[in-house]
């Protein structure tokens, strides 16, 4: 099977192709407890791989000078830390990663948004549910208190998102860096998700920003 997509990235038209085979390894009854166990096992295996890759990625970033602009390094690490935290990894296990991310400049919408969501995830505790039939839920989440330093970091990142939008849109680099470049739905979605995370952490987001985003979405929905 081959999938081909024509996309525009950073203002340039590109063609991306994926190829591979899909095969069913075994029959799984999604209604039974066995399905629940399969999901839990997949999360455990994915978490183990991602922990190793995240630490390796951090070491690579430390050793290799970043190109200018710094691009998406912050987001590339933040998205993995977010996934690990939501999979049950304890925040203390990712201390080196968060220390490095806290030192990075805020330059790209994806990266700033993912940084906010990763910081919020540090305050969420995950509790696995024992396998049982007729359920798709494998965990429960409980919100705890966010460290004051992390709350302050979120506030700084929110200000960047507030300052770098235009009419409810966000683009890649931020409106200050590229004021004439139009925004897109993907960057804007990540920014809105991040602002929602910020609100959940008690960080204020201007009402006008939500109104602008809503007006833009309603205008473009058809």
């Amino acid at each position: 099977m081959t999938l081909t997509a024509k996309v525009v990235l950073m203002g340039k038209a590109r063609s991306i192709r994926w190829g591979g085979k899909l095969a069913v390894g075994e029959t799984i009854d999604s209604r039974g407890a066995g399905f629940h166990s399969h999901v839990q096992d997949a999360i455990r295996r994915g978490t183990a791989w991602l922990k190793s890759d995240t630490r390796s990625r951090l070491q690579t970033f430390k050793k290799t000078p970043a190109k200018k602009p710094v691009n998406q390094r912050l987001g590339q690490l933040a998205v993995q830390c977010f996934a690990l935290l939501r999979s049950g990894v304890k925040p203390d296990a990712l201390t080196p990663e968060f220390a490095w991310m806290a030192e990075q400049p805020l330059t790209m919408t994806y990266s700033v948004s993912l940084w906010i969501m990763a910081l919020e995830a540090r305050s969420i505790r995950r509790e696995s549910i024992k396998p049982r039939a007729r359920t798709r839920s494998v965990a429960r989440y409980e919100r705890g208190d966010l460290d004051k330093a992390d709350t302050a970091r979120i506030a700084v990142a929110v200000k960047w998102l507030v300052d770098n939008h235009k009419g409810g849109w966000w683009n890649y680099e931020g409106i200050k860096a590229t004021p004439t470049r139009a925004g897109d739905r993907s960057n804007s979605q990540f920014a809105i998700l991040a602002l929602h995370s910020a609100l959940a952490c008690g960080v204020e987001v201007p009402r006008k920003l939500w109104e602008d985003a809503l007006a833009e979405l309603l205008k473009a929905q058809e």
Side-chain angles (χ1 to χ4, degrees):
M1 179 180 67
T2 301
L3 298 176
T4 302
K6 293 183 178 180
V7 298
V8 177
L9 295 175
M10 304 296 285
K12 297 181 180 179
R14 305 182 187 183
S15 181
I16 302 176
R17 178 172 295 178
W18 298 270
K21 294 181 179 180
L22 296 175
V24 178
E26 60 182 291
T27 301
I28 298 176
D29 182 2
S30 63
R31 298 168 298 178
F35 173 77
H36 197 151
S37 296
H38 277 290
V39 173
Q40 295 281 36
D41 183 57
I43 292 173
R44 283 191 291 270
R45 288 186 288 111
T47 299
W49 183 91
L50 196 57
K51 284 174 69 176
S52 176
D53 186 75
T54 300
R55 188 55 50 89
S56 176
R57 176 168 287 189
L58 174 62
Q59 296 308 317
T60 298
F61 286 172
K62 285 183 174 181
K63 293 177 182 178
T64 309
K67 296 180 180 179
K68 292 185 178 180
V70 177
N71 210 331
Q72 303 286 9
R73 280 190 169 191
L74 173 59
Q76 288 168 357
L77 198 64
V79 68
Q80 295 192 192
C81 289
F82 173 83
L84 288 170
L85 290 167
R86 295 306 294 262
S87 298
V89 173
K90 302 299 182 183
D92 288 349
L94 298 170
T95 297
E97 285 77 8
F98 275 89
W100 181 87
M101 288 189 289
E103 297 176 350
Q104 305 312 302
L106 304 181
T107 59
M108 306 287 282
T109 298
Y110 282 122
S111 287
V112 175
S113 299
L114 286 163
W115 172 228
I116 291 173
M117 288 187 274
L119 287 168
E120 183 215 5
R122 292 225 278 187
S123 68
I124 308 241
R125 189 176 79 247
R126 182 185 190 275
E127 181 179 353
S128 295
I129 298 173
K130 292 182 179 180
R132 61 190 184 192
R134 299 184 182 280
T135 181
R136 299 294 178 88
S137 298
V138 297
R140 292 285 184 266
Y141 296 92
E142 183 177 344
R143 182 176 300 279
D145 294 328
L146 191 65
D147 183 90
K148 289 184 178 179
D150 283 348
T151 302
R153 293 182 181 108
I154 289 177
V156 171
V158 165
K159 185 179 186 306
W160 190 95
L161 290 176
V162 171
D163 291 343
N164 283 278
H165 92 290
K166 184 177 182 180
W169 275 109
W170 282 265
N171 62 23
Y172 280 92
E173 300 91 348
I175 199 67
K176 285 190 173 181
T178 52
T180 60
R181 181 168 292 174
D184 66 62
R185 190 70 61 221
S186 181
N187 276 287
S188 299
Q189 176 197 11
F190 270 75
I192 290 170
L193 287 170
L195 294 172
H196 181 271
S197 291
L199 275 180
C201 294
V203 176
E204 184 178 352
V205 178
R207 179 183 178 88
K208 180 66 164 55
L209 188 61
W210 295 114
E211 292 174 346
D212 287 348
L214 177 60
E216 192 284 318
L217 284 167
L218 291 174
K219 181 179 178 181
Q221 67 179 346
E222 298 298 335

mmCIF file of all heavy atoms in Angstrom, residues 51 54-55 81-99 101 117-126 142 144-147 150:
data_model
loop_
_atom_site.group_PDB
_atom_site.id
_atom_site.type_symbol
_atom_site.label_atom_id
_atom_site.label_comp_id
_atom_site.label_asym_id
_atom_site.label_seq_id
_atom_site.Cartn_x
_atom_site.Cartn_y
_atom_site.Cartn_z
ATOM 1 N N LYS A 51 10.760 6.339 26.033
ATOM 2 C CA LYS A 51 11.665 6.806 27.088
ATOM 3 C C LYS A 51 13.103 6.790 26.591
ATOM 4 O O LYS A 51 13.862 7.745 26.792
ATOM 5 C CB LYS A 51 11.523 5.927 28.333
ATOM 6 C CG LYS A 51 10.279 6.204 29.138
ATOM 7 C CD LYS A 51 10.120 5.213 30.275
ATOM 8 C CE LYS A 51 11.181 5.412 31.336
ATOM 9 N NZ LYS A 51 10.961 4.509 32.486
ATOM 10 N N THR A 54 13.572 9.445 23.796
ATOM 11 C CA THR A 54 13.547 10.812 24.320
ATOM 12 C C THR A 54 14.879 11.191 24.938
ATOM 13 O O THR A 54 15.409 12.286 24.702
ATOM 14 C CB THR A 54 12.416 10.967 25.357
ATOM 15 O OG1 THR A 54 11.162 10.676 24.724
ATOM 16 C CG2 THR A 54 12.381 12.369 25.932
ATOM 17 N N ARG A 55 15.447 10.285 25.721
ATOM 18 C CA ARG A 55 16.748 10.563 26.323
ATOM 19 C C ARG A 55 17.831 10.677 25.250
ATOM 20 O O ARG A 55 18.713 11.543 25.326
ATOM 21 C CB ARG A 55 17.096 9.460 27.326
ATOM 22 C CG ARG A 55 18.348 9.727 28.167
ATOM 23 C CD ARG A 55 18.284 11.053 28.912
ATOM 24 N NE ARG A 55 17.074 11.293 29.668
ATOM 25 C CZ ARG A 55 16.892 10.926 30.933
ATOM 26 N NH1 ARG A 55 17.863 10.283 31.564
ATOM 27 N NH2 ARG A 55 15.768 11.211 31.560
ATOM 28 N N CYS A 81 7.661 14.144 25.744
ATOM 29 C CA CYS A 81 7.484 14.215 27.194
ATOM 30 C C CYS A 81 6.003 14.227 27.561
ATOM 31 O O CYS A 81 5.583 13.590 28.539
ATOM 32 C CB CYS A 81 8.172 15.459 27.737
ATOM 33 S SG CYS A 81 9.989 15.373 27.697
ATOM 34 N N PHE A 82 5.191 14.926 26.770
ATOM 35 C CA PHE A 82 3.746 14.939 26.995
ATOM 36 C C PHE A 82 3.180 13.522 26.920
ATOM 37 O O PHE A 82 2.420 13.091 27.795
ATOM 38 C CB PHE A 82 3.073 15.838 25.966
ATOM 39 C CG PHE A 82 1.571 15.795 26.001
ATOM 40 C CD1 PHE A 82 0.866 16.576 26.902
ATOM 41 C CD2 PHE A 82 0.861 14.969 25.148
ATOM 42 C CE1 PHE A 82 -0.530 16.535 26.948
ATOM 43 C CE2 PHE A 82 -0.527 14.916 25.177
ATOM 44 C CZ PHE A 82 -1.219 15.702 26.082
ATOM 45 N N ALA A 83 3.572 12.791 25.874
ATOM 46 C CA ALA A 83 3.074 11.420 25.697
ATOM 47 C C ALA A 83 3.509 10.520 26.847
ATOM 48 O O ALA A 83 2.731 9.689 27.342
ATOM 49 C CB ALA A 83 3.565 10.857 24.364
ATOM 50 N N LEU A 84 4.746 10.671 27.284
ATOM 51 C CA LEU A 84 5.253 9.842 28.375
ATOM 52 C C LEU A 84 4.515 10.137 29.684
ATOM 53 O O LEU A 84 4.122 9.207 30.412
ATOM 54 C CB LEU A 84 6.756 10.077 28.558
ATOM 55 C CG LEU A 84 7.644 9.489 27.457
ATOM 56 C CD1 LEU A 84 9.078 9.986 27.609
ATOM 57 C CD2 LEU A 84 7.621 7.961 27.491
ATOM 58 N N LEU A 85 4.301 11.408 29.976
ATOM 59 C CA LEU A 85 3.593 11.763 31.195
ATOM 60 C C LEU A 85 2.162 11.245 31.183
ATOM 61 O O LEU A 85 1.667 10.717 32.186
ATOM 62 C CB LEU A 85 3.599 13.282 31.375
ATOM 63 C CG LEU A 85 4.956 13.900 31.708
ATOM 64 C CD1 LEU A 85 4.906 15.412 31.557
ATOM 65 C CD2 LEU A 85 5.400 13.529 33.125
ATOM 66 N N ARG A 86 1.490 11.367 30.042
ATOM 67 C CA ARG A 86 0.109 10.886 29.956
ATOM 68 C C ARG A 86 0.029 9.361 29.909
ATOM 69 O O ARG A 86 -1.056 8.790 30.038
ATOM 70 C CB ARG A 86 -0.587 11.493 28.733
ATOM 71 C CG ARG A 86 -0.769 12.999 28.788
ATOM 72 C CD ARG A 86 -1.484 13.473 30.053
ATOM 73 N NE ARG A 86 -2.851 13.029 30.137
ATOM 74 C CZ ARG A 86 -3.912 13.746 29.799
ATOM 75 N NH1 ARG A 86 -3.742 14.980 29.347
ATOM 76 N NH2 ARG A 86 -5.115 13.270 29.923
ATOM 77 N N SER A 87 1.184 8.713 29.743
ATOM 78 C CA SER A 87 1.234 7.250 29.762
ATOM 79 C C SER A 87 1.631 6.704 31.124
ATOM 80 O O SER A 87 1.759 5.503 31.298
ATOM 81 C CB SER A 87 2.226 6.740 28.705
ATOM 82 O OG SER A 87 1.811 7.114 27.410
ATOM 83 N N GLY A 88 1.852 7.602 32.088
ATOM 84 C CA GLY A 88 2.122 7.166 33.446
ATOM 85 C C GLY A 88 3.536 7.353 33.936
ATOM 86 O O GLY A 88 3.842 7.020 35.089
ATOM 87 N N VAL A 89 4.435 7.873 33.106
ATOM 88 C CA VAL A 89 5.808 8.121 33.545
ATOM 89 C C VAL A 89 5.794 9.260 34.568
ATOM 90 O O VAL A 89 5.127 10.278 34.374
ATOM 91 C CB VAL A 89 6.708 8.479 32.346
ATOM 92 C CG1 VAL A 89 8.091 8.908 32.811
ATOM 93 C CG2 VAL A 89 6.819 7.286 31.405
ATOM 94 N N LYS A 90 6.548 9.090 35.661
ATOM 95 C CA LYS A 90 6.587 10.099 36.713
ATOM 96 C C LYS A 90 7.368 11.333 36.245
ATOM 97 O O LYS A 90 8.395 11.200 35.567
ATOM 98 C CB LYS A 90 7.233 9.529 37.971
ATOM 99 C CG LYS A 90 6.539 8.295 38.529
ATOM 100 C CD LYS A 90 5.105 8.598 38.910
ATOM 101 C CE LYS A 90 4.428 7.369 39.519
ATOM 102 N NZ LYS A 90 2.996 7.621 39.829
ATOM 103 N N PRO A 91 6.927 12.521 36.616
ATOM 104 C CA PRO A 91 7.616 13.743 36.206
ATOM 105 C C PRO A 91 9.097 13.757 36.555
ATOM 106 O O PRO A 91 9.919 14.271 35.791
ATOM 107 C CB PRO A 91 6.852 14.837 36.968
ATOM 108 C CG PRO A 91 5.477 14.278 37.140
ATOM 109 C CD PRO A 91 5.684 12.807 37.369
ATOM 110 N N ASP A 92 9.472 13.196 37.707
ATOM 111 C CA ASP A 92 10.875 13.204 38.118
ATOM 112 C C ASP A 92 11.772 12.458 37.131
ATOM 113 O O ASP A 92 12.972 12.754 37.039
ATOM 114 C CB ASP A 92 11.026 12.578 39.505
ATOM 115 C CG ASP A 92 10.476 13.479 40.606
ATOM 116 O OD1 ASP A 92 10.185 14.655 40.303
ATOM 117 O OD2 ASP A 92 10.333 13.004 41.741
ATOM 118 N N ALA A 93 11.194 11.512 36.406
ATOM 119 C CA ALA A 93 11.987 10.742 35.443
ATOM 120 C C ALA A 93 12.370 11.578 34.231
ATOM 121 O O ALA A 93 13.238 11.175 33.441
ATOM 122 C CB ALA A 93 11.211 9.498 34.999
ATOM 123 N N LEU A 94 11.726 12.726 34.070
ATOM 124 C CA LEU A 94 11.976 13.584 32.905
ATOM 125 C C LEU A 94 12.592 14.921 33.308
ATOM 126 O O LEU A 94 12.537 15.890 32.554
ATOM 127 C CB LEU A 94 10.655 13.823 32.148
ATOM 128 C CG LEU A 94 9.995 12.571 31.571
ATOM 129 C CD1 LEU A 94 8.592 12.895 31.069
ATOM 130 C CD2 LEU A 94 10.830 11.973 30.460
ATOM 131 N N THR A 95 13.197 14.969 34.473
ATOM 132 C CA THR A 95 13.808 16.212 34.956
ATOM 133 C C THR A 95 14.838 16.787 33.990
ATOM 134 O O THR A 95 14.825 17.996 33.712
ATOM 135 C CB THR A 95 14.430 15.996 36.344
ATOM 136 O OG1 THR A 95 13.393 15.658 37.275
ATOM 137 C CG2 THR A 95 15.138 17.263 36.823
ATOM 138 N N PRO A 96 15.767 15.986 33.435
ATOM 139 C CA PRO A 96 16.750 16.550 32.499
ATOM 140 C C PRO A 96 16.101 17.155 31.259
ATOM 141 O O PRO A 96 16.549 18.194 30.758
ATOM 142 C CB PRO A 96 17.633 15.348 32.136
ATOM 143 C CG PRO A 96 17.454 14.386 33.260
ATOM 144 C CD PRO A 96 16.037 14.548 33.692
ATOM 145 N N GLU A 97 15.061 16.495 30.768
ATOM 146 C CA GLU A 97 14.388 16.999 29.575
ATOM 147 C C GLU A 97 13.717 18.345 29.841
ATOM 148 O O GLU A 97 13.827 19.287 29.041
ATOM 149 C CB GLU A 97 13.343 15.985 29.086
ATOM 150 C CG GLU A 97 13.914 14.772 28.384
ATOM 151 C CD GLU A 97 14.521 13.748 29.330
ATOM 152 O OE1 GLU A 97 14.370 13.889 30.569
ATOM 153 O OE2 GLU A 97 15.151 12.793 28.850
ATOM 154 N N PHE A 98 13.026 18.446 30.974
ATOM 155 C CA PHE A 98 12.342 19.701 31.276
ATOM 156 C C PHE A 98 13.325 20.818 31.604
ATOM 157 O O PHE A 98 13.059 21.988 31.301
ATOM 158 C CB PHE A 98 11.335 19.494 32.411
ATOM 159 C CG PHE A 98 10.005 18.996 31.936
ATOM 160 C CD1 PHE A 98 9.756 17.634 31.827
ATOM 161 C CD2 PHE A 98 9.008 19.880 31.558
ATOM 162 C CE1 PHE A 98 8.534 17.167 31.369
ATOM 163 C CE2 PHE A 98 7.785 19.423 31.094
ATOM 164 C CZ PHE A 98 7.542 18.065 30.998
ATOM 165 N N ALA A 99 14.451 20.478 32.190
ATOM 166 C CA ALA A 99 15.464 21.503 32.462
ATOM 167 C C ALA A 99 16.006 22.072 31.157
ATOM 168 O O ALA A 99 16.206 23.288 31.028
ATOM 169 C CB ALA A 99 16.600 20.885 33.289
ATOM 170 N N MET A 101 14.409 22.040 28.174
ATOM 171 C CA MET A 101 13.352 22.767 27.478
ATOM 172 C C MET A 101 13.129 24.146 28.079
ATOM 173 O O MET A 101 12.823 25.102 27.358
ATOM 174 C CB MET A 101 12.049 21.952 27.510
ATOM 175 C CG MET A 101 12.076 20.729 26.599
ATOM 176 S SD MET A 101 10.459 19.895 26.439
ATOM 177 C CE MET A 101 10.285 19.159 28.073
ATOM 178 N N MET A 117 1.509 22.338 26.909
ATOM 179 C CA MET A 117 0.785 21.095 27.197
ATOM 180 C C MET A 117 1.638 20.110 27.989
ATOM 181 O O MET A 117 1.135 19.376 28.847
ATOM 182 C CB MET A 117 0.278 20.479 25.903
ATOM 183 C CG MET A 117 -0.875 21.253 25.290
ATOM 184 S SD MET A 117 -1.632 20.439 23.859
ATOM 185 C CE MET A 117 -0.563 21.045 22.548
ATOM 186 N N ALA A 118 2.942 20.089 27.720
ATOM 187 C CA ALA A 118 3.837 19.215 28.475
ATOM 188 C C ALA A 118 3.938 19.677 29.923
ATOM 189 O O ALA A 118 3.945 18.863 30.855
ATOM 190 C CB ALA A 118 5.218 19.192 27.820
ATOM 191 N N LEU A 119 4.012 21.001 30.131
ATOM 192 C CA LEU A 119 4.060 21.531 31.493
ATOM 193 C C LEU A 119 2.782 21.192 32.253
ATOM 194 O O LEU A 119 2.824 20.790 33.428
ATOM 195 C CB LEU A 119 4.262 23.045 31.455
ATOM 196 C CG LEU A 119 5.668 23.527 31.067
ATOM 197 C CD1 LEU A 119 5.654 25.023 30.781
ATOM 198 C CD2 LEU A 119 6.684 23.196 32.159
ATOM 199 N N GLU A 120 1.627 21.332 31.601
ATOM 200 C CA GLU A 120 0.371 20.984 32.269
ATOM 201 C C GLU A 120 0.353 19.511 32.656
ATOM 202 O O GLU A 120 -0.115 19.129 33.731
ATOM 203 C CB GLU A 120 -0.825 21.282 31.362
ATOM 204 C CG GLU A 120 -2.155 21.011 32.043
ATOM 205 C CD GLU A 120 -3.230 20.484 31.102
ATOM 206 O OE1 GLU A 120 -2.936 20.226 29.934
ATOM 207 O OE2 GLU A 120 -4.370 20.326 31.567
ATOM 208 N N ALA A 121 0.890 18.655 31.766
ATOM 209 C CA ALA A 121 0.869 17.210 32.007
ATOM 210 C C ALA A 121 1.655 16.822 33.250
ATOM 211 O O ALA A 121 1.432 15.749 33.817
ATOM 212 C CB ALA A 121 1.414 16.475 30.783
ATOM 213 N N ARG A 122 2.575 17.674 33.688
ATOM 214 C CA ARG A 122 3.341 17.361 34.901
ATOM 215 C C ARG A 122 2.467 17.379 36.154
ATOM 216 O O ARG A 122 2.849 16.838 37.194
ATOM 217 C CB ARG A 122 4.487 18.359 35.070
ATOM 218 C CG ARG A 122 5.565 18.218 34.026
ATOM 219 C CD ARG A 122 6.948 18.274 34.640
ATOM 220 N NE ARG A 122 7.407 19.629 34.889
ATOM 221 C CZ ARG A 122 8.645 19.905 35.302
ATOM 222 N NH1 ARG A 122 9.512 18.934 35.518
ATOM 223 N NH2 ARG A 122 9.023 21.161 35.496
ATOM 224 N N SER A 123 1.289 18.005 36.053
ATOM 225 C CA SER A 123 0.407 18.094 37.227
ATOM 226 C C SER A 123 -0.694 17.042 37.209
ATOM 227 O O SER A 123 -1.545 17.023 38.096
ATOM 228 C CB SER A 123 -0.230 19.489 37.295
ATOM 229 O OG SER A 123 -1.149 19.675 36.227
ATOM 230 N N ILE A 124 -0.685 16.156 36.204
ATOM 231 C CA ILE A 124 -1.765 15.172 36.056
ATOM 232 C C ILE A 124 -1.261 13.788 36.456
ATOM 233 O O ILE A 124 -0.232 13.335 35.964
ATOM 234 C CB ILE A 124 -2.247 15.147 34.607
ATOM 235 C CG1 ILE A 124 -2.577 16.552 34.188
ATOM 236 C CG2 ILE A 124 -3.362 14.156 34.424
ATOM 237 C CD1 ILE A 124 -3.881 16.907 33.784
ATOM 238 N N ARG A 125 -1.986 13.133 37.337
ATOM 239 C CA ARG A 125 -1.610 11.785 37.760
ATOM 240 C C ARG A 125 -2.456 10.748 37.024
ATOM 241 O O ARG A 125 -3.669 10.887 36.931
ATOM 242 C CB ARG A 125 -1.795 11.615 39.270
ATOM 243 C CG ARG A 125 -1.193 10.297 39.781
ATOM 244 C CD ARG A 125 -1.286 10.148 41.295
ATOM 245 N NE ARG A 125 -2.624 9.723 41.698
ATOM 246 C CZ ARG A 125 -3.477 10.455 42.380
ATOM 247 N NH1 ARG A 125 -3.149 11.694 42.721
ATOM 248 N NH2 ARG A 125 -4.667 10.004 42.719
ATOM 249 N N ARG A 126 -1.790 9.742 36.485
ATOM 250 C CA ARG A 126 -2.470 8.682 35.738
ATOM 251 C C ARG A 126 -2.572 7.423 36.580
ATOM 252 O O ARG A 126 -1.603 6.985 37.180
ATOM 253 C CB ARG A 126 -1.696 8.361 34.459
ATOM 254 C CG ARG A 126 -2.333 7.293 33.571
ATOM 255 C CD ARG A 126 -1.408 6.984 32.410
ATOM 256 N NE ARG A 126 -2.017 6.160 31.393
ATOM 257 C CZ ARG A 126 -2.066 4.826 31.412
ATOM 258 N NH1 ARG A 126 -1.546 4.167 32.443
ATOM 259 N NH2 ARG A 126 -2.626 4.170 30.426
ATOM 260 N N GLU A 142 -6.178 12.363 37.265
ATOM 261 C CA GLU A 142 -6.540 13.276 38.348
ATOM 262 C C GLU A 142 -5.586 14.464 38.335
ATOM 263 O O GLU A 142 -4.356 14.294 38.299
ATOM 264 C CB GLU A 142 -6.466 12.566 39.696
ATOM 265 C CG GLU A 142 -6.886 13.429 40.866
ATOM 266 C CD GLU A 142 -6.871 12.663 42.180
ATOM 267 O OE1 GLU A 142 -6.831 11.415 42.146
ATOM 268 O OE2 GLU A 142 -6.896 13.328 43.238
ATOM 269 N N GLY A 144 -3.518 17.526 39.764
ATOM 270 C CA GLY A 144 -2.906 17.971 41.010
ATOM 271 C C GLY A 144 -2.475 19.419 40.895
ATOM 272 O O GLY A 144 -2.825 20.126 39.949
ATOM 273 N N ASP A 145 -1.718 19.887 41.858
ATOM 274 C CA ASP A 145 -1.229 21.261 41.851
ATOM 275 C C ASP A 145 0.007 21.371 40.965
ATOM 276 O O ASP A 145 0.895 20.514 41.003
ATOM 277 C CB ASP A 145 -0.878 21.713 43.269
ATOM 278 C CG ASP A 145 -2.114 21.804 44.161
ATOM 279 O OD1 ASP A 145 -3.193 22.124 43.629
ATOM 280 O OD2 ASP A 145 -1.985 21.545 45.369
ATOM 281 N N LEU A 146 0.063 22.432 40.187
ATOM 282 C CA LEU A 146 1.213 22.674 39.325
ATOM 283 C C LEU A 146 2.239 23.503 40.069
ATOM 284 O O LEU A 146 1.886 24.442 40.797
ATOM 285 C CB LEU A 146 0.769 23.404 38.050
ATOM 286 C CG LEU A 146 1.804 23.501 36.918
ATOM 287 C CD1 LEU A 146 2.125 22.120 36.368
ATOM 288 C CD2 LEU A 146 1.277 24.388 35.799
ATOM 289 N N ASP A 147 3.504 23.154 39.923
ATOM 290 C CA ASP A 147 4.586 23.903 40.534
ATOM 291 C C ASP A 147 4.506 25.378 40.114
ATOM 292 O O ASP A 147 4.186 25.695 38.969
ATOM 293 C CB ASP A 147 5.922 23.303 40.099
ATOM 294 C CG ASP A 147 7.101 23.991 40.756
ATOM 295 O OD1 ASP A 147 7.512 23.550 41.826
ATOM 296 O OD2 ASP A 147 7.598 24.965 40.162
ATOM 297 N N ASP A 150 6.493 26.268 37.069
ATOM 298 C CA ASP A 150 5.877 25.817 35.825
ATOM 299 C C ASP A 150 4.702 26.711 35.439
ATOM 300 O O ASP A 150 4.474 26.987 34.256
ATOM 301 C CB ASP A 150 5.407 24.369 35.950
ATOM 302 C CG ASP A 150 6.562 23.377 35.847
ATOM 303 O OD1 ASP A 150 7.665 23.798 35.458
ATOM 304 O OD2 ASP A 150 6.350 22.184 36.148
#
